[in-house]
Amino acid sequence: MSDLWFGVLNAFRLILSFDADLYEIILRSLHVTVTAVIVASAIGLPLGAWLAVNRFRFRRLTIAFLNAMMGLPPVVVGLIVYILFSRSGPLGVFGLLFTPTAMIIAQVIIIMPLIASIAHQAIRDLWADYHDLLISLNTTKRQRMITLIWDARRSLLTASLAGFGRGIGEVGAIMIVGGNIDHVTRVLTSAIALETGKGDFALALGLGFVLIALAIAVNIIIHRLSKTERAGQW
Amino acid sequence: MTLAYKLLFFIMILSFSWPAQADNMRMAVTTSFHNSGLSDILLPEIQKGIGVEVQLIVVGTGQALKLGRAGDVDAILVHSKSAEEVFVSDGYGTHRREIMYNDFVIVGPTNDPARVAAATNVVEALKAIEETRSVFVSRGDDSGTHRKELSLWKLSGFEANKFSPAWYRAGGSGMGSTLNTASGMNAYVMSDRASWLKFKNKGELRLLFSGDPVLFNQYAYLPVSPKLHPHVKNDLAIKLENWLTGPHAQSLIAGYKISGETLFMPNAKPR
Amino acid sequence: MVIPSILPVSINKVSVRKRGKSILNDISLDLDAVGFTIVMGPNGSGKTTLLRLMHGLQRPSDGMVSWNCTHDIARTRQTFVFQTPVMMRRSVRDNIAYPLRLAGLKAAETNKQASYWAAKVGIEARLGLDAMYLSGGERQKLALARALITQPEVIFLDEPTTNLDGKSTREIETILKDASKNGARIIMTTHDIGQAKRLASEIVFLNKGKVSEHSAAKTFFDNAQSAAAQAYLKGDIIE
Ligand SMILES: Nc1ncnc2c1ncn2[C@@H]1O[C@H](COP(=O)(O)OP(=O)(O)OP(=O)(O)O)[C@@H](O)[C@H]1O
Ligand SMILES: [Mg+2]
């Protein structure tokens, strides 16, 4: 129990000390995960909409596959990305291993199925509402997807935020493809793993609480911004 | 595939906002070396001395060798002589250069049910643990430390992989996690001295046995072959080797202490 | 250039079955190019299904529906006001303007037209509000405005005034009469006999998935032929 208290105290101490290294790590965590969320949303949201409005032969299978991908262990994703981007792998020439870019790619793969799946569910429900109207108005598939994505934007924001949550707390993949290099690829989660390895639970917990605070702050800020944008309550 | 490449390009552009360093190289090092804290002393000095930013990838010896073989790092600093020699003879490394050594210690519960503290050498100590079936946590991760531990069991006349999991627990993780496990189970464990001294979650554990020359642990530096991997920064790797084996680095290593104890003995031979 | 009319429409021996239940049963019906058709009949008699069938939202199990053009073109020149209006998650203005936005019109133009039609159905005060806050009657007015904004050739309306008060009902009826005068072909359902008398030029009476009567409004109300229609008009329960 006392370890927990030390963790909380440590978190405050860390934040208030304005330690440059800590802020660098926080910024890098945000940079990696926010970029990954943007890219994963750019793929996942239209994919979710597409799956909702299209009927095709392997639709059920595709959705089942997507749902299964949500449970994919990040370590496996990390390993696959590592093998692809290793100098002796097929994409080795880009020299991306152990860079933030590799971490972003791994996170996109981890987050995208989650975003697509939640988006698909939200859009499928809205599509059930809109179906008759949009068919009656002779919309093209493209117009349907755009309309549904726009009108479901609040639920889709939740999908993206869920992706952010999974990404910011993820450690297995980014450790492998990022290498946890100090000042280059070290992020909050890999720093926590490192300190835990050193048996420094107080510091590890402190960083853990910083991570939680960061995740909460991002969620609050995003919700604030999206509320002020329109008065509605969708 | 073109879409995938476009995406990749997009991600690269997004992530280039992050500042890139000029003269840097990557070195895979073992957890035990990094946990000792010696790297925190050496890295800034390297930057000052030869202007090279060394990026450390901290992994087990097995993975470090693998990173070297794949050409994902420019040099490795590990401690598993036979594996290192294979690495060089297979052409993955240009050569092997000894830098320093440290030693392993046996740590265990304060009440010491196997009476390891009374042993006169490591074989006696391990035999006592086996005889009393006292819980022992092994790294079990194919690291240099793990390989060393297996060789010590062999030296004592045992095949560690035949031990009952009832008392011999192979963890499969780094030194720190293994120490955490041992601390939680109040078990015996073999650790490098540095990791043990730096470890903050000792609990009921204490150092019971050390000093047998068999426990000495040689660290060697191996630049990755530029013939096999033309992209590696061999010039920087050589620069770093010269610095590590030079008088300044060697005296920094000799002078590095935790709680008054010297951790590493420099033993690089001038060429 | 004279654009040929999509009318008349002809329903030829159509049946609709769902989950083993026969909803429309071997219906044949021809609707002329002009007129104001009101479909009547008890609950569950198949009125909604018939309108959806004509609009192409419901596929026939047997038989066929033919317009004076292909089905794809037919629907582009029709509009449908649903029994339960679909409220898009947008403001009232954006809901009404939506069909024009689809056509690629500029926001300034679509907003102007949306304001005009909102005023016409009497919800101009609600333009900026999210549509989800509208009352049941206001929702029907919104759906009507959204249908009229494209100035379609054929307008299907499924009980468009069910939730409206007397004054609003009259206002909507006036709008529909105007539209009809301006050449729109209106096909709608209602349970309001007075309304049918005020608006219809002809009546289609459905009972248990069959057309039991199709006649001019005057004939139907003065001299209904089928027993079911007579009972319905009297307010009796039809078995
Ligand atoms: N998808 C469906 N599956 C099964 N039955 C259906 C389905 N759609 C409609 N029905 C049934 O078909 C019958 C006719 O439905 P329809 O909506 O056309 O009636 P209606 O004449 O419009 O009735 P109301 O006056 O209540 O609006 C009803 O009994 C309804 O329950
Ligand atoms: Mg109906």
Side-chain angles (χ1 to χ4, degrees), chain A residues 98-99 181 183-184, chain B residues 19-27 47 51-56 74 231-237:
Chain A
F98 303 137
T99 63
I181 303 171
H183 298 300
V184 182
Chain B
Q21 268 80 22
D23 244 7
N24 57 40
M25 61 169 285
R26 290 186 184 131
M27 177 164 70
Q47 178 96 45
V52 175
E53 188 204 281
V54 178
Q55 302 180 348
L56 295 185
D74 304 306
H231 61 268
V232 298
K233 297 172 178 164
N234 188 248
D235 48 336
L236 296 184

Side-chain angles (χ1 to χ4, degrees), chain A residues 126 129-130 132-139 143 147 150-153 155 230-234, chain C residues 52 55 57 72 75-76 78 80 82 86-91 98-99 102 130-133 146:
Chain A
L126 191 61
D129 270 14
Y130 281 17
D132 285 353
L133 179 68
L134 295 193
I135 300 284
S136 165
L137 288 172
N138 271 304
T139 48
Q143 286 174 327
T147 299
W150 177 249
D151 283 7
R153 60 194 179 281
S155 324
R230 273 171 69 80
Q233 280 289 289
W234 299 109
Chain C
R52 289 172 63 90
H55 188 46
L57 286 174
D72 287 345
R75 198 158 58 207
T76 61
Q78 305 170 358
F80 200 112
F82 296 100
V86 179
M87 290 298 103
M88 298 179 78
R89 296 180 180 179
R90 306 176 172 215
S91 67
Y98 181 71
L102 286 178
D130 266 336
M132 74 168 306
Y133 295 122
R146 186 169 58 198

Side-chain angles (χ1 to χ4, degrees), chain B residues 105-124:
Chain B
V105 298
I106 294 184
V107 168
T110 309
N111 64 358
D112 193 13
R115 310 199 125 275
V116 165
T120 55
N121 58 43
V122 75
V123 170
E124 241 175 65

Side-chain angles (χ1 to χ4, degrees), chain B residues 50-181:
Chain B
I50 55 176
V52 175
E53 188 204 281
V54 178
Q55 302 180 348
L56 295 185
I57 317 284
V58 183
V59 288
T61 298
Q63 202 186 337
L65 291 165
K66 199 155 170 94
L67 290 176
R69 275 201 290 273
D72 291 327
V73 290
D74 304 306
I76 59 178
L77 181 66
V78 292
H79 53 89
S80 189
K81 193 171 176 188
S82 53
E84 291 157 19
E85 280 166 347
V86 173
F87 185 79
V88 173
S89 67
D90 284 353
Y92 294 114
T94 53
H95 61 282
R96 172 179 181 275
R97 186 87 183 268
E98 300 193 336
I99 303 290
M100 62 193 176
Y101 67 89
N102 68 342
D103 69 333
F104 289 113
V105 298
I106 294 184
V107 168
T110 309
N111 64 358
D112 193 13
R115 310 199 125 275
V116 165
T120 55
N121 58 43
V122 75
V123 170
E124 241 175 65
L126 291 183
K127 278 184 169 161
I129 292 171
E130 193 271 345
E131 199 167 333
T132 54
R133 297 281 193 271
S134 305
V135 179
F136 182 96
V137 182
S138 165
R139 283 281 289 273
D141 64 347
D142 198 29
S143 60
T145 306
H146 182 222
R147 290 177 192 192
K148 180 78 180 182
E149 180 217 312
L150 293 180
S151 76
L152 291 175
W153 283 114
K154 201 159 201 171
L155 193 69
S156 315
F158 302 114
E159 290 290 339
N161 57 10
K162 300 226 172 78
F163 285 149
S164 153
W167 66 274
Y168 184 84
R169 310 272 166 85
S173 50
M175 197 66 249
S177 312
T178 307
L179 281 168
N180 275 330
T181 311

Side-chain angles (χ1 to χ4, degrees), chain C residues 48 83 158-159:
Chain C
T48 299
Q83 191 164 1
D158 198 1
E159 302 187 29

Side-chain angles (χ1 to χ4, degrees), chain A residues 105-124:
Chain A
I105 291 168
Q107 291 214 332
V108 167
I109 299 173
I110 293 168
I111 296 172
M112 195 280 285
L114 181 71
I115 294 182
S117 193
I118 300 179
H120 168 245
Q121 277 166 36
I123 290 176
R124 191 189 51 194

Side-chain angles (χ1 to χ4, degrees), chain A residues 61-82:
Chain A
L61 199 73
T62 310
I63 291 165
F65 178 72
L66 207 59
N67 287 336
M69 289 279 288
M70 285 201 294
L72 204 62
V75 186
V76 175
V77 175
L79 215 60
I80 293 169
V81 174
Y82 168 79

